[in-house]
Amino acid sequence: MRFLLEKDLRILRRSPLLVVLLVAYPVLIAVLVGLALSGGPDKPRVAVFSQLPEDSGTVNVAGTTVDPGRYADELYKAVDPIKVRSRAEAERLVRDGEALAAVIVPADLVDRIQSAVSLSGSSKRPTVEVLYNAEDPVKQQYVESTIESRVADLNRAVSEKLTSIATGYLGILLRGGDFSLFGQKFEVLGLQRSKALVDGVAAGEREGSPERQALERVSKFAQLAIDNLDLSDDVLDAVGEPVVVKRTVVEGRRTPLDAFAVAVAVTLSLMLVTVLLAAGMLALEREEHAFARLVRGLVSKTGLVAEKVVLAAVCALAATLLMTAGVSIFVSLDWGRAPLWVVALAFGGLAFGALGVAIGAAAREVRAASLLAILLALPIAFLALVPSGAVASGLYDVIRVVSACFPFRPALDAVDAAINDAGGLGTALLHLALLTVAWGAVARIGLRRFA
Amino acid sequence: MSAALAADAVSKRYGEREALRDVSFSAGAGETIAVIGPNGAGKTTLLSILGGVQRPTSGTVSRDPREVGWVPQQAAVYGKLTVEENLRLFARLEKVRDPDEAVARMLDQTGLRDRAGDELGTLSGGNRQRVNIAVGLLAQPDVLLLDEPSSSLDPRQRERLWEFVGGLARAGTTVVFTTHNVQEAERYADRVLVLADGELLFAGSPDDLHAEVGGDQRDFEAAFVRFLHERGH
Ligand SMILES: Nc1ncnc2c1ncn2[C@@H]1O[C@H](COP(=O)(O)OP(=O)(O)OP(=O)(O)O)[C@@H](O)[C@H]1O
Ligand SMILES: [Mg+2]
């Protein structure tokens, strides 16, 4: 038992590839899981472009002072704000993925809130604009759930305030009191006291006289208003969203989540089939010792690499086309775009195949190659799905560079473009072609070790 | 006689270890050469360099490896392919003019015609070795390198192998083989090369080797062991 244990530890120590995996893999996975669980920084990074004048003033209604600036502070507390000085700058930050979204506060927000609370009948409701980047639906969901819930918080706060102000207003209308507007004080009589006054005057009139009848009609109306305005608190409570949120997508398109999920599923399958096959089949040549026989003039090493890449890509193309067809039973897909699917899957397959042979060249046996292929492929896919803005921007840049070195992200873009008409097919195909050449070269250099 | 195959000052290093040190020899057309020496002497390394599987660290080999037949010590054939499929694959890769004829010839030579449709992985070790050798013979090369070809064959197959190799040599093929069965070297080789620790200690006929150690040994094996002993191995 002890000797077996010693023997196995010794074997492990002498397999550098395995040791690297054993050490690097847990670290990598820990980082990824950490990212996934923390969901990035506590507060989403949001660009804020406030057009409010420095001293935007307060709205003073019915004895209550409303400071719109305080509501802006509420929002800033909920997010990690990056204050910017123009709409263009806000858009750029969103486009570059440095900010998850941008909030644009219009200059006339205060005026509009003022007119909303002054009951003067203005229909222009205050509007806050939210800009975001919808590169992919995963991110879109993230933005919608994070930013918009913050804005909803703000809205609720403003809504409560407005309701209480309006209620105060009504109280003055009902019972009378002081009311200041633009620095001037008004004394408001109030409906109840008005009614009492009218009733008093009416009592002095002769019964049945036209004056008394007219005053009684005024008094009845006042009573009706008093009764009904008492109930209006509830009505006002029901007023939602005093501040309107206008959504603007800066970049990207809106692929429905299920259609995007199809693209992710197809790309994942493409990756696993191709990488495993290419890595395994190249390693098999060495495991069977036939490699030496082949490369001494029968086949060039480059030819051998190319053959494995094509083999894996063709097999995976067939498998994933079949899978796509199967999925189309459940999710409606546009079969008219099928030729584009083939193109995207073929390019993706070649790039994954090239990655696979690079793995196959590093490992000596089929089992090691398969293990390595799986261990490498899954985190790459995971990384490629991290939305920009969900993690610190420096880390995101690293993630983006790493993702760009592997075929998953461009393959996903290509497949999504082909299936869902998401755009950017050409760029993704070019990227995949470059990766095919690069990883093919890595594989070729790897094989040189076994000259 | 112009050499059919020549090695000039061939050396091979694996890190610190020198597997071959300045090995030079040449072989004429139709000559049969046995490379003998202790385990780890560098026999496999020498043959794989002659066969173009590895590049020497320094030194040169005269012949283009594509004109050389190479049979490795470990069977280098596909376990999931049948005997016939293996032979046909390599016949095509070697660009043999008539692959069908070559496959048929090799099935007869190996005596495996009745196993032609069996996957190689299901064959015994010796039978697999027969196919391994047959693959090296497919292209009827002018120079044939055999690394311990007889090691896992039964006596009858061994007999057939050497008969066949003798026929090739008489027809002008140069054969270089390694073996631990030094009687085979004495019986079938025109010349023997003795390698030890990567160094070529002796090149000459078996009789010369006998003479080298005084000629009073009871057989060639004893003479060989004596020779190595005298050279400190
Ligand atoms: N890939 C390798 N890496 C490191 N050293 C190697 C490698 N291949 C061979 N060697 C070393 O080179 C030397 C010669 O090995 P080689 O296989 O040529 O010996 P050999 O004469 O064929 O032995 P045997 O009779 O056991 O087959 C040995 O010391 C061996 O350890
Ligand atoms: Mg050997």
Side-chain angles (χ1 to χ4, degrees):
Chain A
M1 173 76 182
R2 208 191 97 205
F3 301 125
L4 270 182
L5 203 62
E6 270 178 23
K7 176 262 302 177
D8 284 338
L9 286 175
R10 202 160 281 153
I11 289 176
L12 283 182
R13 213 177 55 214
R14 286 178 192 160
S15 317
L17 193 64
L18 209 57
V19 171
V20 168
L21 271 182
L22 282 176
V23 175
Y25 206 66
V27 172
L28 184 66
I29 294 297
V31 169
L32 291 181
V33 170
L35 287 181
L37 293 184
S38 69
D42 303 344
K43 299 174 179 179
R45 291 162 60 81
V46 173
V48 178
F49 174 41
S50 170
Q51 290 163 289
L52 288 178
E54 195 57 33
D55 178 26
S56 55
T58 55
V59 187
N60 193 340
V61 206
T64 316
T65 306
V66 180
D67 178 6
R70 250 194 55 223
Y71 293 104
D73 289 344
E74 287 280 309
L75 177 67
Y76 296 166
K77 255 187 278 167
V79 301
D80 178 9
I82 314 166
K83 298 201 180 182
V84 297
R85 262 183 237 103
S86 70
R87 186 193 166 91
E89 196 183 347
E91 275 182 25
R92 186 186 60 75
L93 288 178
V94 173
R95 189 171 292 119
D96 294 352
E98 279 174 50
L100 191 58
V103 176
I104 311 274
V105 181
D108 60 357
L109 184 72
V110 176
D111 295 343
R112 290 203 185 177
I113 292 178
Q114 176 86 67
S115 63
V117 298
S118 67
L119 300 182
S120 62
S122 165
S123 61
K124 280 173 124 193
R125 288 212 280 165
T127 303
V128 170
E129 194 179 359
V130 177
L131 306 180
Y132 61 94
N133 189 336
E135 293 152 38
D136 62 53
V138 176
K139 172 161 179 168
Q140 195 173 311
Q141 287 241 317
Y142 181 79
V143 172
E144 278 171 8
S145 62
T146 350
I147 295 299
E148 299 201 350
S149 76
R150 307 290 191 217
V151 175
D153 286 346
L154 166 70
N155 240 340
R156 202 173 324 111
V158 175
S159 168
E160 274 165 19
K161 196 73 202 174
L162 281 185
T163 305
S164 83
I165 291 168
T167 310
Y169 249 137
L170 290 173
I172 290 172
L173 279 179
L174 219 50
R175 288 173 288 276
D178 286 337
F179 169 69
S180 71
L181 187 63
F182 305 119
Q184 275 183 284
K185 256 196 180 158
F186 300 91
E187 156 108 44
V188 176
L189 185 59
L191 277 172
Q192 285 169 353
R193 279 193 276 157
S194 303
K195 182 176 181 291
L197 285 173
V198 170
D199 286 349
V201 176
E205 291 292 330
R206 181 171 48 84
E207 193 119 0
S209 75
E211 289 80 6
R212 181 157 176 168
Q213 279 179 354
L215 286 171
E216 274 171 359
R217 277 173 63 201
V218 172
S219 168
K220 264 189 200 141
F221 165 74
Q223 189 58 50
L224 193 71
I226 291 163
D227 294 346
N228 285 301
L229 284 177
D230 257 349
L231 297 173
S232 64
D233 289 10
D234 300 334
V235 178
L236 280 171
D237 273 341
V239 174
E241 291 212 330
V243 177
V244 179
V245 175
K246 184 178 150 210
R247 299 174 197 173
T248 307
V249 173
V250 167
E251 197 175 67
R253 75 290 167 235
R254 284 164 168 266
T255 302
L257 193 58
D258 56 352
F260 183 70
V262 171
V264 172
V266 168
T267 310
L268 265 178
S269 313
L270 180 72
M271 172 180 73
L272 289 177
V273 173
T274 323
V275 172
L276 275 176
L277 209 56
M281 292 308 274
L282 185 62
L284 186 68
E285 295 286 4
R286 294 237 294 281
E287 199 169 283
E288 304 249 41
H289 305 290
F291 180 76
R293 198 164 231 160
L294 291 180
V295 298
R296 48 176 294 277
L298 299 192
V299 186
S300 74
K301 285 182 186 170
T302 309
L304 188 68
V305 165
E307 182 260 334
K308 298 296 178 243
V309 171
V310 170
L311 166 83
V314 168
C315 292
L317 175 65
T320 47
L321 274 181
L322 207 65
M323 177 186 166
T324 313
V327 165
S328 73
I329 297 169
F330 305 101
V331 180
S332 83
L333 299 177
D334 179 5
W335 276 90
R337 305 181 61 80
L340 290 178
W341 305 355
V342 174
V343 171
L345 291 173
F347 271 74
L350 289 174
F352 282 130
L355 175 63
V357 288
I359 293 169
R364 224 168 297 241
E365 315 129 31
V366 177
R367 270 172 306 166
S370 312
L371 187 69
L372 192 60
I374 294 268
L375 291 186
L376 212 74
L378 291 181
I380 289 167
F382 181 95
L383 270 187
L385 290 172
V386 173
S388 65
V391 294
S393 76
L395 181 59
Y396 183 70
D397 286 340
V398 173
I399 289 177
R400 194 151 53 170
V401 169
V402 171
S403 283
C405 293
F406 293 95
F408 187 84
R409 184 73 232 186
L412 177 61
D413 289 344
V415 170
D416 192 22
I419 293 182
N420 301 320
D421 197 9
L425 183 62
T427 318
L429 293 184
L430 184 68
H431 191 164
L432 287 171
L434 287 175
L435 287 179
T436 306
V437 173
W439 283 108
V442 170
R444 180 63 190 77
I445 291 165
L447 284 184
R448 183 169 293 169
R449 284 200 299 143
F450 306 93
Chain B
M1 178 171 67
S2 82
L5 174 71
D8 183 28
V10 167
S11 295
K12 180 73 185 180
R13 290 186 148 278
Y14 293 111
E16 285 294 288
R17 182 180 301 280
E18 256 192 314
L20 285 179
R21 199 176 317 140
D22 279 339
V23 173
S24 302
F25 78 95
S26 69
E31 197 178 10
T32 301
I33 292 183
V35 181
I36 55 176
N39 290 133
K43 304 183 293 296
T44 295
T45 306
L46 177 62
L47 257 65
S48 64
I49 288 173
L50 296 175
V53 179
Q54 300 191 75
R55 246 172 259 150
T57 309
S58 64
T60 53
V61 175
S62 68
R63 195 90 190 211
D64 182 340
R66 267 170 295 193
E67 301 166 1
V68 174
W70 176 72
V71 175
Q73 194 169 350
Q74 277 172 309
V77 277
Y78 295 102
K80 287 276 179 211
L81 296 188
T82 66
V83 173
E84 191 176 342
E85 285 164 348
N86 265 295
L87 290 172
R88 177 152 297 129
L89 168 70
F90 284 104
R92 288 196 182 130
L93 288 175
E94 297 258 17
K95 301 195 179 69
V96 171
R97 221 171 295 129
D98 185 352
D100 290 336
E101 183 276 331
V103 170
R105 182 160 43 83
M106 282 304 129
L107 284 176
D108 287 337
Q109 161 58 26
T110 53
L112 286 173
R113 187 166 274 290
D114 56 326
R115 306 295 302 266
D118 290 0
E119 282 185 16
L120 222 73
T122 67
L123 263 50
S124 72
N127 282 339
R128 225 174 300 158
Q129 174 66 350
R130 288 201 234 168
V131 179
N132 185 38
I133 296 169
V135 170
L137 300 173
L138 276 167
Q140 297 180 290
D142 292 342
V143 176
L144 185 60
L145 310 169
L146 301 163
D147 199 354
E148 298 193 32
S150 61
S151 59
S152 56
L153 300 183
D154 67 45
R156 202 170 69 90
Q157 281 305 318
R158 211 174 281 186
E159 186 71 31
R160 284 179 70 145
L161 170 72
W162 292 122
E163 235 168 63
F164 182 79
V165 168
L168 290 177
R170 279 189 296 279
T173 304
T174 303
V175 179
V176 178
F177 69 90
T178 72
T179 182
H180 284 299
N181 183 340
V182 289
Q183 310 295 359
E184 275 183 352
E186 184 188 25
R187 207 175 302 159
Y188 302 113
D190 302 317
R191 270 196 302 152
V192 295
L193 305 180
V194 178
L195 268 184
D197 280 346
E199 251 177 309
L200 185 58
L201 300 181
F202 176 86
S205 70
D207 287 345
D208 293 343
L209 189 73
H210 258 298
E212 188 89 12
V213 291
D216 55 351
Q217 300 301 313
R218 79 197 118 76
D219 59 17
F220 185 66
E221 179 146 357
F224 172 61
V225 171
R226 177 73 189 271
F227 174 83
L228 286 177
H229 183 74
E230 283 181 1
R231 300 303 173 95
H233 291 281

